[in-house]
């Protein structure tokens, strides 16, 4: 008999003031949602009103857990946080306006696109380190919850890392995976491979309040 498909949904957390002000967050910035972020979280929850969610997961960071909690309240689920699902640690770039570090970000992204995914600044994490800690956690959950509908509320760079790996782009292809605050992703897992159903869906954010930062 064929194995039951597991529906894996990913959501990027709602907006924070760091997102609104175009400042890098990362693992070391534990910001809460702003008012727009809570509206986006409610929009995510409403998107699933006709889809039964069986389990709900988040990172240990406030912006992820708060978004997941809004979804959980509507669907009768308690979010399960995991530190392994936290955003990448961007080291000395965290908390800084993007306008001030554009050259650093360009250097970072150029290295990654060229395949040098061990490149980083200071004590920041590399994409490979993040992939190892996060993909292992998600894949353990997929194995335990086979055939269920699972929602993970995660972070922009982490989503890029995971989805590029799962869809065979490689970490050098992370830039092919778009992300915006409150966006949704749907992949199906058959026990062997992931099939993308949709990526970076934002139609549920009808007020146009999605932020790409």
């Amino acid at each position: 008999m064929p194995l039951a498909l597991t529906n894996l949904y990913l959501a990027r957390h709602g907006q924070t003031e760091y997102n609104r002000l175009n400042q890098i967050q990362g693992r070391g910035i534990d910001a809460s949602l702003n008012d727009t972020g809570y509206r986006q979280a409610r929009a995510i929850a409403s998107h699933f009103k006709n889809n039964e969610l069986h389990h709900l997961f988040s990172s240990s960071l406030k912006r992820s857990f708060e978004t997941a909690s809004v979804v959980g309240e509507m669907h009768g689920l308690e979010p399960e946080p995991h530190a392994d699902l936290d955003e990448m640690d961007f080291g000395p770039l965290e908390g800084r306006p993007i306008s001030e570090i554009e050259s650093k970000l360009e250097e970072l992204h150029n290295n990654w696109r060229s395949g040098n995914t061990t490149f980083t600044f200071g004590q920041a994490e590399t994409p490979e380190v993040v992939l190892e800690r996060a993909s292992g956690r998600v894949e353990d959950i997929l194995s335990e919850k086979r055939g269920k509908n699972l929602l993970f509320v995660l972070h922009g760079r982490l989503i890029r890392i995971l989805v590029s790996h799962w869809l065979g782009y490689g970490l050098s292809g992370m830039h092919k995976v778009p992300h915006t605050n409150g966006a949704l992703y749907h992949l199906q897992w058959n026990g062997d491979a992931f099939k993308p159903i949709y990526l970076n869906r934002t139609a549920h954010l009808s007020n146009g309040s999605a932020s790409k930062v």
Side-chain angles (χ1 to χ4, degrees):
M1 291 181 63
L3 294 173
L5 290 174
T6 302
N7 286 297
L8 172 62
Y9 297 98
L10 307 176
R12 187 183 176 203
H13 63 79
Q15 187 187 81
T16 70
E17 283 300 286
Y18 282 84
N19 293 131
R20 187 180 71 82
L21 297 172
N22 289 338
Q23 294 174 295
I24 296 290
Q25 287 177 103
R27 196 175 193 181
I29 301 290
D30 196 13
S32 291
L33 300 180
N34 61 18
D35 288 344
T36 296
Y38 275 106
R39 287 197 298 272
Q40 292 168 338
R42 290 191 290 272
I44 293 169
S46 296
H47 174 82
F48 290 102
K49 64 183 178 182
N50 296 320
N51 296 78
E52 183 181 8
L53 294 174
H54 300 120
H55 300 281
L56 177 61
F57 305 92
S58 77
S59 82
S60 69
L61 299 174
K62 290 176 183 175
R63 56 193 183 272
S64 172
F65 186 77
E66 289 171 356
T67 304
S69 294
V70 171
V71 177
E73 288 174 8
M74 183 176 291
H75 293 273
L77 295 171
E78 187 70 28
E80 184 179 314
H82 293 278
D84 287 342
L85 301 179
D86 288 354
E87 178 62 298
M88 170 183 277
D89 183 340
F90 284 96
L93 302 184
E94 292 187 353
R96 299 178 63 183
I98 288 176
S99 60
E100 293 181 3
I101 56 173
E102 287 181 351
S103 63
K104 291 286 189 183
L105 290 174
E106 183 177 3
E107 183 179 1
L108 197 67
H109 295 153
N110 285 343
N111 270 278
W112 291 348
R113 289 186 190 195
S114 70
N116 184 13
T117 52
T118 62
F119 181 84
T120 190
F121 293 113
Q123 299 301 309
E125 289 182 304
T126 68
E128 292 178 354
V129 167
V130 177
L131 176 62
E132 183 176 359
R133 68 166 163 84
S135 65
R137 173 64 66 182
V138 175
E139 288 161 16
D140 284 348
I141 292 171
L142 287 173
S143 178
E144 294 169 3
K145 311 295 185 185
R146 189 181 299 277
K148 301 295 185 180
N149 298 334
L150 313 177
L151 174 60
F152 290 77
V153 180
L154 304 177
H155 304 265
R157 178 54 57 178
L158 177 59
I159 288 173
R160 280 186 154 173
I161 289 170
L162 291 173
V163 173
S164 65
H165 173 67
W166 291 336
L167 298 185
Y169 303 161
L171 291 177
S172 62
M174 287 185 289
H175 60 281
K176 298 177 182 178
V177 182
H179 65 78
T180 51
N181 283 116
L184 290 166
Y185 306 72
H186 180 193
L187 299 93
Q188 288 184 330
W189 170 247
N190 65 7
D192 182 54
F194 291 92
K195 175 185 177 182
I197 306 302
Y198 56 75
L199 304 178
N200 197 45
R201 174 171 284 184
T202 59
H204 56 291
L205 304 173
S206 56
N207 61 6
S209 58
S211 170
K212 296 182 179 181
V213 178

